[in-house]
Amino acid sequence: MHVTHEAGAPAEPVIAFDDWLKVDIRIGTIVAADPFPEARKPAYKLRIDFGAGIGIRKSSVQITEHYRLGELVGRQVAAVVNFAPRQIGPFVSEVLTLGFPDADGKVVLIGPSEAVPNGGRLF
């Protein structure tokens, strides 16, 4: 399956509701943000707290166009927490932090409009 990140692209094929339920998207708070100079594309390494049930997980994110390290800690973000970990150079990314592309295809993080408890599942 090919996933496009372009605005205006057609929707992906229809899936069953049970397929949607398999994707576990949770809210977490960024507790640490560090440079990731070893990454091929400019990126940061995040540690995100998803609460007692999941704990703190790591994520590599290509968000350097819109965000500076100092402004990320304390921000709530949505992430897929049940994908297999992915090795990115010397770093293991444990969750997929979610965002949408801006007009130039650069990532804009998504999160709640109000603070919510860490670990809450998207529905």
Side-chain angles (χ1 to χ4, degrees):
M1 175 167 86
H2 172 72
V3 177
T4 182
H5 300 286
E6 298 173 16
E12 295 293 329
V14 172
I15 62 172
F17 187 73
D18 286 345
D19 291 330
W20 160 251
L21 293 176
K22 293 175 187 175
V23 181
D24 192 353
I25 299 173
R26 302 288 182 112
I27 196 71
T29 300
I30 298 170
V31 295
D34 297 298
F36 191 6
E38 304 90 351
R40 282 193 303 243
K41 295 181 180 178
Y44 297 140
K45 296 184 286 187
L46 303 180
R47 290 188 331 132
I48 306 167
D49 183 358
F50 292 97
I54 296 170
I56 295 175
R57 300 283 177 94
K58 299 180 295 184
S59 184
S60 170
V61 292
Q62 295 174 0
I63 59 171
T64 59
E65 295 287 330
H66 289 295
Y67 305 94
R68 301 293 158 246
L69 288 173
E71 66 189 38
L72 291 168
V73 172
R75 181 186 188 102
Q76 287 196 297
V77 293
V80 177
V81 298
N82 66 331
F83 284 156
R86 190 164 174 212
Q87 187 77 41
I88 302 173
F91 184 76
V92 176
S93 190
E94 300 170 311
V95 299
L96 176 64
T97 304
L98 301 175
F100 288 105
D102 68 7
D104 295 321
K106 308 300 182 195
V107 178
V108 175
L109 294 171
I110 59 171
S113 58
E114 297 180 25
V116 296
N118 287 337
R121 186 171 181 173
L122 180 72
F123 59 84

